[in-house]
Amino acid sequence: MISILHYVPLLRVWIPFVAAALIAASLVWIWLKVMRPLSIKARSMSVVVGVILVVVVHQLVEHVWHPVAEGLGRVTWLWASPALVAAVMVFAGLTRRKQWLRRFCAALCAWLLIAVGAALGINYHFEAYPTMAEVVGGGVRTISWDELKNPDEEAQSARIAEGAVVRVDIPSSDSVFKPRQALVYLPPSYFADPQATLPVITLLTGQPGTPQDWLVLGKLPQTMEQFAASRGGRAPIVAVVDAFGSQTANPLCSDTSHGKVASYLEVDVPKWLRENFPVSTDAGQWAIAGLSSGGTCALQVATRAPQTYRSFLDMSGETHPQLGNEERTISEGFDGSRELYAANDPVQVMKTRRYDATAGIISWGSDDTSFKEGLIEVDEAAQASGMTVETRSYPGGHSWKVWKAAFEDQLPWLAERFGL
């Protein structure tokens, strides 16, 4: 089934036109069929109420709830707004009892088509899921901890050839922060020689996002398999871990009342990996990498804990850890403490410390102009602190197309740092 879904594209150039046509046709259908018992004036008023609802929901989501630090963005709201307007139109139309069940079924189908159109448009903008196969999980094979420790002969032979991704629970020493399940890529060399010491990449996703995104959207298993094949099966262990706790949480990669995320990434994760895998104890063999707010977090960790991580990849990260603006970030994210904010802001930290042994790559999408400006400021601060840093740009915007290409391109640089 998954193989068939690979033939259903979602990022072709005609997708936005199909999405717009679905939305437009469904709105017309609701206007003509579902709202038939209503007068033109009543129908028009429902549209006006729908637009007002969009404005109210926008204000509540972006300025009160604020689930995403950078905001959902104008394009997301452009695609999502018709669904809200249609919901009001449907509600108004179904207040009349005439042929209610038939009109309800028509309204439900039309609204679902609008939702599909919105999803297609948003997905295209963010260049996320390339086909339907990725939407349903991409057929990515992972194994449990028990399967790792108790393999049969056939499975062991396959892992020596290809490596494996294992699902693990890396606990936090803090009772407030509850990380989601991590995913650890183990190269073929781990199975061929389980005692050989290997370097580590701790990999972070953005927000909203899950560790699974690196497998499905970032194609991490394929990238690592190709890399390992070019080096006789040797590659770093890659631990994709959670720095947020949920899709909508953003504890800003710091130790605050919202949880001790800094301690989790800098102490708990390395400790667990050292206890369970033959990983190096040399900080020069450890790197931390992330995308978007995960990229910000990667640099936060690298500046706070150079004794643990000497290399970093900041892919499309923010200039500063933030929840919309500095005032809100300090009051809500850092318990009102400007000192705590400064201690977790890489740009400010790099002004007070030297990092002559640290190196990293800062990258962005060529069309991601708002993030590029901030990352140039980050690069200047890193250079001034003594870091060895370079910048790279990739075709695209703030999207998985960029991050997948960035990690694949920067992996050999990390391998050179590790001495692989």
Side-chain angles (χ1 to χ4, degrees), residues 70-71 76 148 164 171 178 205 217 280 352:
E70 304 90 16
T76 299
L148 174 68
K178 306 292 185 182
T205 187
L217 303 179
S280 174
T352 62

Side-chain angles (χ1 to χ4, degrees), residues 102-147:
R102 180 182 297 180
R103 289 187 297 110
F104 171 80
C105 293
L108 180 61
C109 292
W111 192 89
L112 288 175
L113 286 175
I114 292 173
V116 169
L120 287 172
I122 293 169
N123 180 73
Y124 183 84
H125 173 68
F126 288 105
E127 300 174 303
Y129 298 96
T131 71
M132 276 300 298
E134 283 75 22
V135 174
V136 298
V140 177
R141 167 71 174 152
T142 62
I143 62 174
S144 68
W145 185 256
D146 287 340
E147 288 175 299

